[in-house]
Amino acid sequence: MSTQSVCIVGGGPAGIGLLWALAQDAGLRDALAVTVVHDQSVLGGHCSTYTVTNPNTGADVAVDIGVQCISPLVNPNVSAVLQSGAFPELAPVVDAPPLTLSCAFPARDGLPMYWGNFPEYQQGPLFQLWNESGIAGDCAQFQTVIAISPVVGYLTQTLQYYLDNHASSPFPYENMADFVTYFVDPIMNIINGYGAPNLAQITFGDVLPIFGRIPGFDGPLGSWSVPGVGWQRFEKGASSWVQALYDVAVGLFDTPVVLHTAKATAVWLDPTDESGQVYVATADDPAGTAYDKVVLAVDMWTCADLLSCPQNQGYWDNLYSVPLDKATAWSMLQAGTCYIHADQSVIAPDLLPLSQEVAQFNAVNATQQSPFDIDTAYTTYLVENVRGGDPSAKGLYVTMYGPEQGTVVPSNPLVTETFTHGMWLPTYMLDSKKAMHAVQGSGWLSGISNAGTNLYFSGNNLSFDSVEGGFISGLVIANYAFGAPYPVPPSLLTAPAFAMFLYIYLDVMFPVSDTLKQAAIRELGARIPPR
């Protein structure tokens, strides 16, 4: 039997998750010859880990530049895999320290404007913001509303709608303006990575898993008043689990898996090629190599750049331009920059001598609008504290910016990465995600249109912006395009993990009607653990 050549562009959780899912099926292992094209020196994508020499201690430290922590509650598929097979040894996870957060703002009327979600940052002259004007009570009240949102029918209500319409009744907030500006907006900004608050898009149902107490799980994961608990971190760095997926997959495949460390520069389809092959060019292979099937497991802006090449102009104009247009369909994606560095100037000066938080939202140096420009604020992770007080990492930081970096950028960074990201919700840019099925290649799923090509799209932009979202998208394409069954091994997490997989598959990436959904689930042939 002849083998089918496959190229996966992107070496993050989506692309390598796809590779791993294919390797779980014995028939596919024998039938496929896979090449992975990846443009970073390490596998991982948003899960990249770099070993840097800390100029403060001289120690070599593995630092995650993107994903810092995971949780079984919000990462059920990833967590279920990490509990299985060789993964506990290859990519061990350990309990992360409590998620202590601080927020720093420009002084107001000469007074410092700082607060934190742990006792040391809630008392004394630096932290008057926490105790003045009823703010602490407002935080407690809002946290309670999140906790009871299923009971009072708020699950589908956005935070913005609530704050605009329900915040004065039945129990009014003491200081609504400051509460939203200095407490709600910054924490939502941190949750979104390095984006924006997006209060008009986030519902109570979205934040309940993070700020509520879910039976069977440690929590809350996040809080305004106490450190978040229930998080885990990768002991060997976030790249370790993507590398483990790759190593396990390579060990299973009957044909060699080629890892091509290069930047993809163009992807195209030849209308005169009746075989339907797809061509991928890289920096060192500008003429391109033909593959039987290609999966683009990269962000949608990169997909647009790759496909709008001269070789693909006909397909771009007639098939891909509208659903992949960066200016309209995917305009709400954002560019972000992450730095690993040792520049203390990014820390709010008054908080630098303390440095007790895991992460700091800093608007002290933001463009000074009234009261500050949140777009030029940024978040910094203190690596020593992320690693539970590791002295070898003292003075190392990971700082994340949105599109506008403001006035303070780390000097002499050890590593710089730029990312394109969305928001951590499946509903974010949902219309664009739901429209993508029309340009996906041909697959087995009936009742939905596709382009009939051999080119497919994966990645967290098509699901939700997290390691879990990227990973699920890879599992979905493995099934849709190649027929690989759902591969997550049985565990206590398998039922919620499979439910999340089905939701992303049949409601987001390939939305089918309710009448077709049950038939599609049966056809998936996926393992559903016994109740």
Side-chain angles (χ1 to χ4, degrees), residues 42-126:
V42 294
L43 290 172
H46 286 205
C47 286
S48 293
T49 305
Y50 290 90
T51 299
V52 300
T53 300
N54 185 352
N56 300 303
T57 66
D60 291 336
V61 184
V63 181
D64 293 326
I65 199 167
V67 172
Q68 301 292 320
C69 298
I70 63 169
S71 162
L73 179 60
V74 295
N75 307 102
N77 283 277
V78 173
S79 295
V81 170
L82 289 170
Q83 292 178 2
S84 67
F87 288 97
E89 180 179 349
L90 294 174
V93 294
V94 295
D95 290 339
L99 183 57
T100 49
L101 302 174
S102 72
C103 294
F105 308 96
R108 187 171 70 179
D109 299 328
L111 297 175
M113 299 290 283
Y114 307 122
W115 70 274
N117 70 345
F118 55 108
E120 292 83 353
Y121 279 30
Q122 294 174 346
Q123 54 192 333
L126 279 180

Side-chain angles (χ1 to χ4, degrees), residues 346-387:
V346 303
I347 301 297
D350 290 331
L351 299 185
L352 182 60
L354 303 175
S355 296
Q356 295 182 35
E357 62 270 60
V358 167
Q360 179 185 111
F361 173 86
N362 190 342
V364 170
N365 301 303
T367 304
Q368 298 306 300
Q369 298 181 359
S370 180
F372 63 90
D373 179 5
I374 199 168
D375 289 337
T376 54
Y378 53 87
T379 297
T380 296
Y381 286 87
L382 287 69
V383 179
E384 178 184 8
N385 298 340
V386 170
R387 295 170 62 94

Side-chain angles (χ1 to χ4, degrees), residues 244-278:
L245 288 172
Y246 179 83
D247 292 342
V248 170
V250 169
L252 291 172
F253 264 99
D254 298 320
T255 53
V257 174
V258 177
L259 178 59
H260 189 47
T261 305
K263 184 178 180 62
T265 56
V267 175
W268 66 92
L269 300 90
D270 183 351
T272 66
D273 185 352
E274 295 183 359
S275 69
Q277 290 186 312
V278 183

